[in-house]
Amino acid sequence: MHLDHTHDGPSAVSADARRPDGRRRALRIGLGGPVGSGKTATVAALCRALRDELSLAVVTNDIYTREDAEFLLREAVLPPERITAVETGACPHTAIRDDISANLEAVEDLEDETGPLDLILVESGGDNLTATFSRGLVDAQIFVIDVAGGDDIPRKGGPGVTTADLLVVNKTDLAPYVGSDLERMAADAEAQRAGLPVVFQSLRTGSGVTAVAGWVRERLAAWTA
Amino acid sequence: MSRAALLVLADGRFPAGGHAHSGGAEAAVRAGRITGAASLEDFCRGRLHTSGLVSAALAAAAALGADPVALDAAADARTPSPALRVAARRLGRQLVRAARATWPCTELDALARQFPKGAHQPVVLGVAARAAGLGPEDAAYCSVYECVSGPASATVRLLSLDPFDATAALARLAPELDVVAHAAADAARRALADGVETLPAASAPLLEIGAEAHAAWPVRLFAS
């Protein structure tokens, strides 16, 4: 919805694909999931995998601290001006779904101040299985769960597991130690997701974030096509 | 004009960022000034008659069509705390975004263009009320209600306060909300004739001091 078509007009009010100056805005991908499932570690790994080929930035939505933003700063995955923390009033699911105004300002300011950007990753603070991103904020969303959180989570479903554009089952290296059945998790996820993709990942062993980074590249190619 | 538009604008779920702010309640809880429903009510009463009156008069004046630039300067002059100025502008920017999508009009477009990083929230609230076809009393009512409902809902989260007790405290404040809303609208009408410098300038020093301390905390639930 364009309320103002002039190129020097005020910023857009919704998820317009074009910025006020007429350029295509960055692709926005949300990452949500329960506490401790590895969202921030996945964001850090994605930054390392993609930063040499793409111009990218990150918005974090912490619950009561700046821990996630500070972890990314400490790990130096991106220059500090490309990482913004949004304060959520103890409710990240509100800030990413019901009232997205602070996050929209964060992504627009990142594009204004560090752009042009190809990709902005919007990370939610750890939340429950129903937390999803508004389509007014992100173009695609990744839901991150882990094998140690219980191998019945894919079977339980819920909006995050069922509707996310990509489901990541993280920490597969821990499966033998916590007694999680990866085949059962894969079968349950397939049954819940009606053909939407699932990636099993361990950031400590094997190919790491490669599969997720590949999915992000595909989304970006579709966005800029 | 639609009465229901007032409900849309006053709804606590109106997506303009208020959920992330406690209206000073988080600092007051930490300082031991809010410990339960009774002290929450006292806190809200103090806020209502000081910064609440100031904000409501600014909102009513904007709803009457006073110059937003002059009103924004008047709001700055009445907000000593830099942290509260930042919070008010941030909330104003979020509100102008939501209001432009909800009630598209040239006045809101112009406001967004004049203040790309946000005007003070009460000024935006008044222009939004005007865009919704509402009057100065309506704008003042929205302002005074959010002045007390924000701290109340934040305190429910901060103290695990019984939500029924918090809501009952708001209901007990209702007659005073009426008085302050009408006083604010009257002051706004006078200011149209006599200038924005005549708008109320009540202040609550503990709110200002608490906001400065709160902004420096490394760990907090709310943005202000």
Side-chain angles (χ1 to χ4, degrees):
Chain A
M1 174 173 54
H2 278 286
L3 296 180
D4 194 312
H5 293 266
T6 59
H7 281 197
D8 59 351
S11 56
V13 295
S14 65
D16 290 349
R18 300 272 166 195
R19 292 175 48 73
D21 63 7
R23 281 183 299 148
R24 182 187 294 276
R25 65 162 170 80
L27 177 71
R28 303 173 192 154
I29 294 182
L31 290 99
V35 175
S37 63
K39 294 177 296 301
T40 311
T42 300
V43 167
L46 280 173
C47 289
R48 290 193 194 97
L50 298 170
R51 65 190 174 193
D52 292 336
E53 58 191 277
L54 300 174
S55 177
L56 74 162
V58 174
V59 177
T60 63
N61 284 263
D62 279 321
I63 303 175
Y64 54 85
T65 65
R66 290 174 44 87
E67 291 267 330
D68 290 344
E70 278 163 13
F71 174 83
L72 296 171
L73 290 168
R74 204 163 52 240
E75 295 283 302
V77 296
L78 290 177
E81 66 273 16
R82 289 176 176 249
I83 300 171
T84 297
V86 167
E87 290 181 285
T88 64
C91 289
H93 54 270
T94 305
I96 64 167
R97 184 186 57 210
D98 309 300
D99 183 349
I100 57 176
S101 50
N103 268 294
L104 285 172
E105 256 129 54
V107 297
E108 288 171 7
D109 285 351
L110 280 168
E111 289 210 73
D112 287 343
E113 289 155 22
T114 67
L117 297 172
D118 301 308
L119 172 68
I120 300 178
L121 300 173
V122 183
E123 182 192 345
S124 172
D127 212 313
N128 62 45
L129 295 175
T130 67
T132 51
F133 285 83
S134 167
R135 293 290 172 191
L137 174 62
V138 301
D139 305 295
Q141 51 196 309
I142 301 172
F143 201 71
V144 183
I145 62 174
D146 72 285
V147 302
D151 61 4
D152 54 350
I153 287 181
R155 180 176 52 76
K156 287 178 180 170
V161 166
T162 311
T163 66
D165 300 289
L166 178 68
L167 178 68
V168 174
V169 182
N170 198 22
K171 308 185 191 177
T172 52
D173 51 310
L174 296 183
Y177 306 107
V178 296
S180 285
D181 182 342
L182 295 181
E183 284 181 22
R184 178 183 149 195
M185 291 184 87
D188 288 345
E190 188 181 344
Q192 288 280 5
R193 289 177 49 75
L196 289 168
V198 182
V199 166
F200 282 74
Q201 152 183 299
S202 164
L203 295 174
R204 299 194 177 277
T205 58
S207 51
V209 81
T210 305
V212 177
W215 180 86
V216 169
R217 286 190 194 93
E218 286 171 19
R219 300 302 298 222
L220 195 59
W223 174 249
T224 53
Chain B
M1 122 181 181
S2 158
R3 298 304 302 168
L6 175 59
L7 299 179
V8 175
L9 183 58
D11 191 336
R13 287 166 294 187
F14 192 78
H19 69 94
H21 295 258
S22 78
E26 187 166 31
V29 165
R30 172 80 68 92
R33 290 192 286 274
I34 299 178
T35 57
S39 46
L40 168 65
E41 186 177 333
D42 290 343
F43 175 88
C44 289
R45 180 174 290 108
R47 189 166 194 251
L48 170 65
H49 288 283
T50 53
S51 63
L53 172 65
V54 172
S55 295
L58 288 163
L64 283 166
D67 174 21
V69 175
L71 290 174
D72 188 75
D76 254 350
R78 287 158 177 74
T79 313
S81 157
L84 285 182
R85 292 187 190 188
V86 168
R89 290 188 181 283
R90 187 171 294 157
L91 285 168
R93 184 180 175 195
Q94 291 175 249
L95 179 57
V96 84
R97 172 193 297 276
R100 287 177 70 205
T102 311
W103 296 286
C105 72
T106 53
E107 281 189 30
L108 286 167
D109 289 349
L111 189 63
R113 194 180 294 109
Q114 282 169 314
F115 295 96
K117 295 295 180 186
H120 276 262
Q121 192 268 0
V123 180
V124 181
L125 179 63
V127 179
R130 193 173 158 83
L134 298 167
E137 269 81 9
D138 300 314
Y141 264 102
C142 281
S143 183
V144 295
Y145 184 64
E146 72 185 17
C147 161
V148 295
S149 62
S153 64
T155 302
V156 169
R157 287 188 221 166
L158 289 161
L159 290 179
S160 301
L161 187 67
D162 184 332
F164 301 120
D165 290 343
T167 304
L170 292 179
R172 283 191 296 277
L173 287 165
E176 288 177 71
L177 297 178
D178 290 331
V179 171
V180 174
H182 286 286
D186 290 344
R189 286 196 185 84
R190 286 195 300 275
L192 275 196
D194 301 339
V196 296
E197 63 276 11
T198 65
L199 285 168
S203 81
L206 274 180
L207 282 178
E208 306 280 338
I209 293 165
E212 287 301 301
H214 180 270
W217 295 359
V219 175
R220 57 184 184 234
L221 289 186
F222 292 92
S224 78

